[in-house]
Amino acid sequence: MEPIWSKTLARTRLRNRLYDRLAHALQDQGEVLVGLPFRPLEHREVWITDVGFLAAPRALSTEPDECLAGSPDLVAILLEPTHRVEEVNEWLDLCFDSGATEFWVVEPGRTIVQVSYRDGTGRWYAPGEFIPLRVASGRQIAVEHIFGELEAD
């Protein structure tokens, strides 16, 4: 998993809005990072997520000059036209197997966010709805605040 760094200004803005919303909602819970490098399993290559969240204990215990061992607590990817369903499902399974609590797939073309949880539950969220953050009980993000006014790619 490595983000296809934005080929358009609209995707860069979307990634930044997602970061801003997560950082605001989780500001006292840990660290939200864009382009977070992690190694889901010791024998796997390093992956980079579009936006990731590390709960405070993990953020503090990871050496700054090292790659995160295991997956971030929350992994968020922007779906690209080149991503295959099988590929995204593999990423989801591996992230959950290596420590993630939440896995978000942000679909710019449909303005929806698919949120999956380690316990096997999840659902799609659309504008007008709020996404509950299980990594921070009682907090939520409005879907329309993530997408704002998207410009055509």
Side-chain angles (χ1 to χ4, degrees), residues 109-125:
R110 296 173 55 197
T111 61
I112 58 174
V113 180
Q114 178 187 11
V115 179
S116 300
Y117 302 102
R118 188 180 340 182
D119 66 7
T121 62
R123 62 170 285 227
W124 298 91
Y125 293 90

Side-chain angles (χ1 to χ4, degrees), residues 21-32 53-56 73-74 101-102 104 117 131-141:
R21 299 309 177 222
L22 284 169
H24 178 75
L26 299 169
Q27 62 187 339
D28 59 345
Q29 301 294 305
E31 191 170 9
V32 177
F53 167 72
L54 295 175
D73 299 287
L74 186 153
T101 302
E102 299 184 32
W104 292 25
Y117 302 102
I131 302 171
L133 293 163
R134 287 195 185 174
V135 294
S137 183
R139 298 185 189 192
Q140 57 188 8
I141 294 177

